[in-house]
Amino acid sequence: MKKHYFFVFLIYAVLCSLGSIAQKYPLIQYTTRDGLSQMQCMSIFQDSRGFVWASTKGGLSRFDGEKFTNFKQKDGLFFNSKLGGIVETASGELYIQNSIGLVKFDGKKFKQLPFPDDYITDFGKSTFIDSNGKLLVMVYKVKDEYASSTILKYDEKSGFKPWTFPLLKVNVKFYPRYYDKKTEGWYGFSYNLESNVTKDFYFFKNGKYERVFETYENQEVKISELNCDQLLFSLINPNKKEEVYIETSPRKFEKWIDIDSNGKIFSLFNLKNDQLFEINNILYFFNSGSGKIEKVNDDFYHANKIIQDRNKFSYWVGSESGLLYFPNNGFRYFDEKEAPIVWSVVEDSQKDYWFLAYGSSLKKFKNGKLSTETRHTNLFPFKNSVGSISNLTSAINYYYNPFTDRNGITWFPNEACLINYDGKKFNRIVNGAAFYILNDEKENIIIQCSWDGIYIIDNAPGFPRFKLSKEKDLISYPNYMYAYKDQKGRYWLGGWGGMNRFENFNDLKAKKSKEYSFKKGTIPFQGFITMCTDPKGNIWAGTEDGLYFYEEKNDRFIRIAPEKFEGMILSLILIDDTHMLVGANEGMYALDLENYYKSGGVFAKLYNHHNGYLGLEAGQNGATKDSKGNIWLTSNSVLSYIEPGKLDLSVNPLMPYIEQINKENVSWDTTQVFMVANRFNDLFLKVGATGFNKSFSTQYSYFIEGVSKKWSDWQTSNELSLLNLPNGTYDIKVKAKTEGLVGEEPNIAKVRVNVNAYIWQTPNFYKYASLLFCLLSALIFYYYYRNVISKRRLKAQEQELNYLQVQTLQSQLNPHFLFNALSSLQYLILKKETEKADRSLTRLSKLMRNYMEASVVSNGSPRTGNKIGNEFSLERKIELIQSYLELEQIQYEDKFDFEIIVADGVSIEQLTVPPLIIQPYVENAVKHGLAHKEGKGKIKVTFEYNDNVLICTIEDDGIGRKKAQEIKERSKHSYRSMGTYLVQDRVALLNKVGYNISIETFDRPDGGTIVKIKIPNKNED
């Protein structure tokens, strides 16, 4: 069985021991999947705002580090499939070259500037800017010969002006290829007009030519600008090999790169700066620190343009396969296929590296090659400390913190045992799980964390040891995963369940400790994962619940930046004296210790796949530093290491920008005022931020001067809604940050806008309109109330006046009826009819009492608003009429009979009527209708009630109105009755104060008169 396993591992070792690149540089490729308009980047450029621009055959792409924005013909970019070089003027405007002209872009709109006279230009960089700010464009005409000696000079005032270089000599002209702004001169070839041959490279300035170096005939030279303001010329020699020359001084070039017979590339001399360049479509990186040239990629990219980022260390590559980003911030990595599932790294005494994995073979990295180690498999299988068999499966399961001791022996923690390697062979030291091992050189002991306790082993032949047992000497927990010794010599032993702290080695031997556990309340988190001591001697702890700082004075752990370090902290290691590397699920943070101690602020920069660190989730206790100072980092994906000297630790805040307002582009000229169209006061801003250390998505906040009281809450959406702004001119400010830059001081973008909305759209319109409405309502109510009161007062006055007039008329009526009654009584006395006179006198007294009561207000007054205050009941009215007719029968004996009829449903007790309306018509019936009739007549008075109207009908069978009028006219001394005239005036006045009395008079067909009086009931309730 043992031989079988060994044979399998031997085959695997042979397959895995093949040579490989092993260490790789991160190279991030952006393609159309990421938003690039088209894969072929013919030219690239980074402007002063930090945008990276790419001219492609599908349009112009702009990259801000997070997203692409593409411009095409529909956006005003003419002839977008033939774009080339891009330049920026001092005022910040961009000029993009296409084959038939230039396109100017100011951030707001594109403007086409066509070349004159049918000039055209090639792809690539053919446009430059001289020291005076003029644009220089290399052009030619289709009908021209192969090489053109003409350039176009352009400025806003003069437009395009052609200029032709003078001849080098007879029949030889100058073919310009590059303008060097540093020296203010042109580089180019000589072109023989007779032989059509290009040869040698020249420099032209101030009308003079200088040959720079000789070239082969018709050989194209590729010119690159290096980040150190040096020019790089590359050419293919007749042997098909590429030669690279670099500018060592103005107009002086030396061969820098050579290629040996095996195809290996090496530099002939060192440079002061790193360089990225291309040879044979492969990218290479010159490391100025080591002086070595290393291949960046194995893929075919064909770089059209390489530029250095504004940060002065990373690079952008415009290639035929998309836009490439080379972070160059010190990170290198091993492919997962080469070094899978690595949990720990250790450097041995020979400066070789061992990669310990869980579930994969033990690997050794030596001289740039990886090989698989199998000799340790001879230690398996064996019977472990609990009596079970540990077989070859355990031989590839390794844990944390291997080390090489001062004797040059390398120790390996294995899930089944503790193994060491003395340079010749592997040895099994302890038959028990080693989850974590700690080398204590001062006491010359090894601490081994296991499942059933922690072993203390003397690092000497014989390896005497003692054990700290679970529960008895240590916190009870399934597996002990961590051990740490701080600068004060204290031992922290335990792990995820908590720690036991032993103050010194004597306490360790005495098994005397203090417990730090969540259960006991001595720590505010569940358990420890890793620890680190900073240069000030303070302890930091990575836990399941974030990052903690140990406050020695109060013996407590304080949580650091919980809003950022909210998950597990898996590894801690010092980068240098001022920075600590913090491993988390989302990547690696560089924490600024100096700033923390100075201000208490937490400044931390996150590294992940966006800026060079390609690991997915930091490995538990997987950070270690080698003898060169490089930091090795394990993860759940690739194995990485950092050259700390090249790690960009600067926290560079993002550069926010405001791209659009209400879908209209905003000019880059911040002095311009953006006039909001269509009188809108709702603004919708599209914003962004440039920066290429974006480890996470960007967040935005805004502030409106004169409107906002504070900055808005951070939001991840790049679309900001500013609603219901008041009219006026405002400065709108926008700031941006990324979650991966903790504590950064953000930059601010600003745009000035003018809002001129309709008044009803302004935010205070409804408030002021409401106030105005309330004021107008109050005024209207005041005037209405005053008018109502005035009308009421006037109406009351009129009612009182009418009432007085009615009473005056009534007072005129009463003497009239009294006169008639006394006349009847006088007649009886003269006839000496005493008994009748006595009855008449009684009836007269009763009649006079009724008249007097009708002459005063019995139930109220018009002053109180009661229009019927002087009415009295119908019952009393009938009594009055009856008394009057009985009195008249005495005077006109046997002249008439009368009948008073009350119809069914007429409530004589409840109904009321105004006084002296009916009586005068009864009087007329007696005096004018029956008094002159021959024979006996009759008066019938009928009361009916229909639809709340009292109808009184007075009917007599007398002589009628016509004969009565004739008798009246014949008798000049006859009594002239005023009763009916007074009644008509009285009715008119009563109708003015709310009554609606109507009186109709008819002639009877058989003689006589009918009077019908309708009195609406005013007390119908």
Side-chain angles (χ1 to χ4, degrees):
M1 180 66 127
K2 185 174 180 180
K3 292 182 179 180
H4 174 70
Y5 276 112
F6 181 76
F7 179 72
V8 172
F9 275 94
L10 185 61
I11 294 175
Y12 185 77
V14 172
L15 293 175
C16 295
S17 297
L18 300 176
S20 62
I21 296 176
Q23 305 170 78
K24 295 183 178 180
Y25 286 100
L27 185 65
I28 302 167
Q29 181 184 17
Y30 296 100
T31 68
T32 51
R33 291 181 180 178
D34 303 297
L36 187 66
S37 60
Q38 198 262 342
M39 291 293 287
Q40 293 173 282
C41 297
M42 308 309 297
S43 183
I44 59 173
F45 178 77
Q46 188 174 31
D47 67 16
S48 58
R49 291 162 288 272
F51 291 117
V52 173
W53 299 81
S55 296
T56 77
K57 292 184 178 181
L60 182 67
S61 291
R62 186 188 71 193
F63 186 51
D64 64 6
E66 185 175 356
K67 61 182 177 63
F68 284 92
T69 301
N70 297 319
F71 302 94
K72 300 187 178 184
Q73 190 165 342
K74 64 181 179 62
D75 303 301
L77 183 63
F78 300 98
F79 217 52
N80 65 73
S81 64
K82 298 287 186 180
L83 300 179
I86 306 170
V87 295
E88 181 180 11
T89 63
S91 59
E93 297 164 331
L94 294 185
Y95 285 84
I96 304 100
Q97 160 203 326
N98 63 29
S99 62
I100 59 172
L102 297 178
V103 181
K104 176 185 174 183
F105 185 53
D106 62 359
K108 189 177 181 70
K109 62 182 179 180
F110 291 94
K111 180 181 180 181
Q112 179 72 15
L113 305 170
F115 292 146
D117 302 327
D118 298 325
Y119 282 109
I120 59 175
T121 188
D122 290 323
F123 283 126
K125 183 166 184 179
S126 300
T127 304
F128 307 88
I129 296 180
D130 67 14
S131 56
N132 297 318
K134 284 191 174 184
L135 274 69
L136 309 174
V137 188
M138 301 184 301
V139 294
Y140 66 94
K141 292 185 178 182
V142 176
K143 65 180 180 179
D144 283 350
E145 301 88 346
Y146 166 72
S148 172
S149 294
T150 302
I151 62 169
L152 293 176
K153 295 184 178 181
Y154 174 84
D155 59 35
E156 289 278 353
K157 184 177 181 180
S158 305
F160 287 104
K161 297 292 183 182
W163 189 84
T164 302
F165 289 91
L167 292 175
L168 268 164
K169 51 187 174 180
V170 178
N171 290 327
V172 178
K173 67 179 182 180
F174 180 67
Y175 176 30
R177 302 307 299 147
Y178 182 84
Y179 177 78
D180 184 17
K181 191 174 182 179
K182 177 173 77 273
T183 58
E184 298 184 354
W186 286 88
Y187 287 97
F189 293 103
S190 66
Y191 178 69
N192 191 299
L193 296 173
E194 293 180 346
S195 61
N196 293 331
V197 170
T198 59
K199 190 177 184 300
D200 297 341
F201 217 64
Y202 285 83
F203 176 78
F204 173 84
K205 182 180 179 181
N206 297 330
K208 296 181 179 179
Y209 292 101
E210 177 184 351
R211 189 168 69 176
V212 176
F213 58 81
E214 295 185 43
T215 65
Y216 308 102
E217 291 185 356
N218 292 332
Q219 184 178 44
E220 179 67 28
V221 175
K222 187 175 181 179
I223 306 172
S224 304
E225 301 143 321
L226 299 183
N227 55 301
C228 53
D229 290 330
Q230 292 176 292
L231 295 180
L232 188 75
F233 290 177
S234 60
L235 52 88
I236 305 296
N237 63 31
N239 296 323
K240 305 293 185 180
K241 288 187 178 180
E242 191 160 359
E243 296 180 2
V244 179
Y245 294 82
I246 195 168
E247 183 183 26
T248 56
S249 62
R251 302 184 300 281
K252 301 296 182 184
F253 292 84
E254 296 183 29
K255 189 175 181 180
W256 175 49
I257 300 295
D258 205 353
I259 304 174
D260 64 18
S261 58
N262 296 320
K264 184 179 178 180
I265 297 175
F266 58 92
S267 63
L268 299 176
F269 53 89
N270 205 350
L271 300 177
K272 63 179 181 179
N273 296 311
D274 295 345
Q275 301 294 340
L276 183 71
F277 58 94
E278 178 211 27
I279 295 179
N280 295 328
N281 298 318
I282 299 296
L283 291 174
Y284 291 89
F285 179 67
F286 173 76
N287 190 325
S288 59
S290 65
K292 295 180 179 180
I293 294 177
E294 299 171 280
K295 186 188 293 186
V296 173
N297 66 292
D298 287 321
D299 301 316
F300 177 86
Y301 283 123
H302 186 80
N304 293 315
K305 180 78 173 176
I306 300 175
I307 62 172
Q308 189 180 38
D309 191 271
R310 295 172 63 199
N311 60 26
K312 298 301 183 185
F313 57 85
S314 57
Y315 294 84
W316 295 92
V317 181
S319 78
E320 294 288 318
S321 302
L323 179 66
L324 308 178
Y325 179 54
F326 180 63
N328 189 30
N329 55 2
F331 284 97
R332 304 284 291 275
Y333 73 98
F334 291 79
D335 192 277
E336 291 180 76
K337 294 179 180 179
E338 298 172 324
I341 325 174
V342 175
W343 279 24
S344 299
V345 177
V346 62
E347 183 182 16
D348 65 18
S349 60
Q350 303 300 312
K351 309 301 181 186
D352 299 328
Y353 299 92
W354 297 82
F355 299 163
L356 285 65
Y358 190 91
S360 182
S361 299
L362 180 65
K363 292 184 180 293
K364 186 175 184 179
F365 182 58
K366 181 176 183 178
N367 298 326
K369 301 291 183 181
L370 273 173
S371 62
T372 298
E373 179 60 65
T374 61
R375 287 175 291 171
H376 66 292
T377 60
N378 292 323
L379 304 175
F380 296 84
F382 65 90
K383 183 179 289 187
N384 57 35
S385 58
V386 295
S388 60
I389 301 298
S390 296
N391 55 35
L392 279 174
T393 303
S394 297
I396 57 173
N397 293 335
Y398 289 93
Y399 275 83
Y400 309 118
N401 203 43
F403 61 85
T404 299
D405 65 21
R406 59 190 175 190
N407 300 316
I409 297 174
T410 303
W411 296 77
F412 301 93
N414 182 271
E415 75 167 8
C417 60
L418 177 62
I419 300 172
N420 73 13
Y421 175 67
D422 60 9
K424 295 180 180 179
K425 67 175 182 176
F426 289 87
N427 305 287
R428 187 173 66 246
I429 306 302
V430 178
N431 290 344
F435 298 129
Y436 190 97
I437 56 176
L438 175 67
N439 180 31
D440 183 1
E441 291 190 348
K442 180 179 178 182
E443 303 296 340
N444 199 31
I445 61 173
I446 297 170
I447 299 175
Q448 175 186 343
C449 297
S450 191
W451 66 271
D452 60 343
I454 295 178
Y455 296 88
I456 312 301
I457 306 163
D458 284 337
N459 190 1
F463 303 108
R465 60 184 179 271
F466 63 91
K467 177 184 175 184
L468 301 173
S469 300
K470 181 185 293 188
E471 295 184 10
K472 180 181 178 182
D473 306 316
L474 300 168
I475 297 171
S476 178
Y477 200 73
N479 295 316
Y480 297 96
M481 303 296 295
Y482 190 64
Y484 185 73
K485 185 179 182 181
D486 64 27
Q487 289 184 353
K488 294 187 176 182
R490 298 174 297 195
Y491 298 88
W492 301 74
L493 307 179
W496 293 72
M499 291 286 226
N500 290 87
R501 190 179 80 181
F502 302 82
E503 296 303 310
N504 48 52
F505 186 62
N506 289 330
D507 282 356
L508 189 65
K509 289 189 293 184
K511 302 180 180 179
K512 177 184 176 184
S513 68
K514 177 181 179 180
E515 181 179 327
Y516 288 82
S517 67
F518 183 78
K519 183 178 180 181
K520 199 167 184 178
T522 48
I523 55 175
F525 47 87
Q526 190 63 40
F528 294 81
I529 298 176
T530 187
M531 299 177 80
C532 181
T533 302
D534 66 26
K536 291 184 178 293
N538 293 316
I539 296 173
W540 298 74
T543 76
E544 294 181 68
D545 304 318
L547 179 66
Y548 284 81
F549 176 83
Y550 179 59
E551 191 178 70
E552 188 82 39
K553 179 180 179 181
N554 297 311
D555 190 25
R556 64 171 183 168
F557 286 88
I558 302 170
R559 190 166 187 184
I560 303 298
E563 73 284 354
K564 172 47 54 187
F565 304 117
E566 58 182 359
M568 291 190 294
I569 301 301
L570 297 159
S571 64
L572 295 172
I573 193 169
L574 291 176
I575 301 172
D576 53 29
D577 290 341
T578 59
H579 290 84
M580 180 172 64
L581 202 61
V582 181
N585 289 332
E586 58 268 29
M588 306 298 300
Y589 287 94
L591 177 64
D592 189 336
L593 296 172
E594 187 175 39
N595 185 274
Y596 176 77
Y597 285 118
K598 184 177 180 180
S599 66
V602 177
F603 283 76
K605 180 175 181 178
L606 177 64
Y607 301 92
N608 61 14
H609 64 284
H610 289 286
N611 53 7
Y613 176 63
L614 303 184
L616 297 177
E617 185 181 311
Q620 179 178 335
N621 286 303
T624 186
K625 191 174 287 190
D626 65 19
S627 60
K628 298 177 183 177
N630 296 326
I631 299 173
W632 293 79
L633 303 171
T634 66
S635 74
N636 279 347
S637 56
V638 301
L639 172 65
S640 306
Y641 77 85
I642 309 172
E643 299 176 68
K646 291 193 173 183
L647 186 62
D648 176 28
L649 295 170
S650 60
V651 179
N652 299 314
L654 302 178
M655 294 293 294
Y657 61 88
I658 301 170
E659 183 177 1
Q660 290 182 341
I661 298 178
N662 293 351
K663 296 186 178 181
E664 183 179 346
N665 288 341
V666 176
S667 173
W668 290 328
D669 185 356
T670 57
T671 63
Q672 293 186 13
V673 177
F674 183 92
M675 308 299 294
V676 181
N678 300 319
R679 306 199 74 173
F680 287 160
N681 66 336
D682 289 343
L683 305 187
F684 300 95
L685 276 63
K686 184 178 180 182
V687 300
T690 60
F692 304 100
N693 284 320
K694 295 183 182 180
S695 46
F696 281 108
S697 59
T698 306
Q699 297 179 329
Y700 303 94
S701 176
Y702 66 85
F703 181 85
I704 310 171
E705 288 191 349
V707 176
S708 302
K709 294 182 179 179
K710 63 177 184 177
W711 284 87
S712 70
D713 294 335
W714 292 101
Q715 65 178 66
T716 54
S717 173
N718 70 326
E719 295 182 352
L720 310 180
S721 298
L722 285 59
L723 305 179
N724 206 21
L725 292 179
N727 287 340
T729 301
Y730 308 99
D731 285 338
I732 299 175
K733 298 179 178 180
V734 175
K735 60 183 180 180
K737 71 172 185 177
T738 178
E739 292 179 283
L741 294 178
V742 182
E744 62 175 320
E745 289 295 327
N747 292 312
I748 294 175
K750 182 175 71 173
V751 63
R752 176 161 290 188
V753 300
N754 178 266
V755 177
N756 186 25
Y758 293 108
I759 188 171
W760 58 83
Q761 293 177 319
T762 56
N764 294 322
F765 170 74
Y766 293 103
K767 180 176 71 175
Y768 294 138
S770 299
L771 291 175
L772 181 60
F773 175 78
C774 293
L775 179 61
L776 289 176
S777 299
L779 289 173
I780 291 172
F781 178 77
Y782 169 74
Y783 284 110
Y784 172 77
Y785 179 76
R786 192 174 72 170
N787 188 41
V788 167
I789 295 300
S790 177
K791 285 183 177 180
R792 286 180 179 176
R793 187 180 295 114
L794 181 61
K795 194 167 186 178
Q797 292 172 351
E798 290 177 351
Q799 287 178 343
E800 185 174 3
L801 178 61
N802 290 336
Y803 174 74
L804 293 175
Q805 291 176 348
V806 168
Q807 293 303 96
T808 301
L809 291 172
Q810 188 172 318
S811 66
Q812 294 174 354
L813 284 170
N814 290 341
H816 170 73
F817 288 113
L818 182 61
F819 172 77
N820 290 338
L822 290 175
S823 296
S824 300
L825 184 60
Q826 182 184 20
Y827 174 75
L828 292 174
I829 294 173
L830 289 175
K831 289 180 67 176
K832 297 182 180 183
E833 294 182 5
T834 307
E835 185 178 348
K836 288 184 178 179
D838 181 59
R839 289 198 311 269
S840 297
L841 183 61
T842 300
R843 290 170 180 164
L844 178 62
S845 63
K846 184 178 180 180
L847 183 64
M848 288 180 65
R849 185 177 69 247
N850 288 335
Y851 281 161
M852 291 181 67
E853 288 179 355
S855 299
V856 297
V857 178
S858 60
N859 295 323
S861 168
R863 295 178 186 273
T864 66
N866 183 1
K867 298 179 182 178
I868 58 174
N870 59 340
E871 295 180 358
F872 53 87
S873 68
L874 179 60
E875 182 181 22
R876 294 184 61 193
K877 173 60 67 177
I878 293 173
E879 289 177 0
L880 182 61
I881 293 172
Q882 184 172 344
S883 296
Y884 169 73
L885 288 175
E886 288 175 350
L887 190 61
E888 290 290 6
Q889 279 182 328
I890 297 174
Q891 182 177 357
Y892 299 102
E893 187 174 3
D894 295 328
K895 285 296 290 182
F896 69 90
D897 291 325
F898 71 87
E899 182 182 11
I900 298 176
I901 302 172
V902 178
D904 293 340
V906 179
S907 177
I908 60 176
E909 296 88 358
Q910 298 296 326
L911 292 172
T912 60
V913 293
L916 300 176
I917 296 297
I918 300 174
Q919 295 94 318
Y921 289 98
V922 175
E923 176 195 353
N924 279 352
V926 174
K927 299 294 184 182
H928 302 291
L930 299 176
H932 300 289
K933 181 180 178 179
E934 295 179 2
K936 193 173 186 178
K938 184 178 180 179
I939 296 175
K940 184 168 69 174
V941 181
T942 305
F943 291 95
E944 299 173 302
Y945 191 73
N946 293 319
D947 297 328
N948 293 325
V949 176
L950 178 65
I951 303 172
C952 177
T953 304
I954 305 166
E955 182 179 356
D956 69 77
D957 56 357
I959 63 175
R961 290 183 295 171
K962 185 176 181 181
K963 287 186 178 182
Q965 183 64 29
E966 290 175 356
I967 294 172
K968 181 180 178 182
E969 290 176 354
R970 286 197 302 267
S971 176
K972 22 171 140 167
H973 298 291
S974 66
Y975 170 75
R976 186 180 180 185
S977 175
M978 298 296 294
T980 56
Y981 294 105
L982 291 174
V983 168
Q984 291 172 2
D985 291 343
R986 177 176 168 80
V987 167
L989 289 172
L990 286 171
N991 286 343
K992 287 183 179 180
V993 295
Y995 291 87
N996 191 20
I997 301 172
S998 65
I999 302 174
E1000 296 178 291
T1001 304
F1002 308 96
D1003 294 324
R1004 292 179 77 245
D1006 298 333
T1009 306
I1010 299 174
V1011 178
K1012 187 168 287 190
I1013 303 171
K1014 296 181 180 180
I1015 305 172
N1017 180 24
K1018 306 304 292 182
N1019 285 334
E1020 56 187 272
D1021 293 334

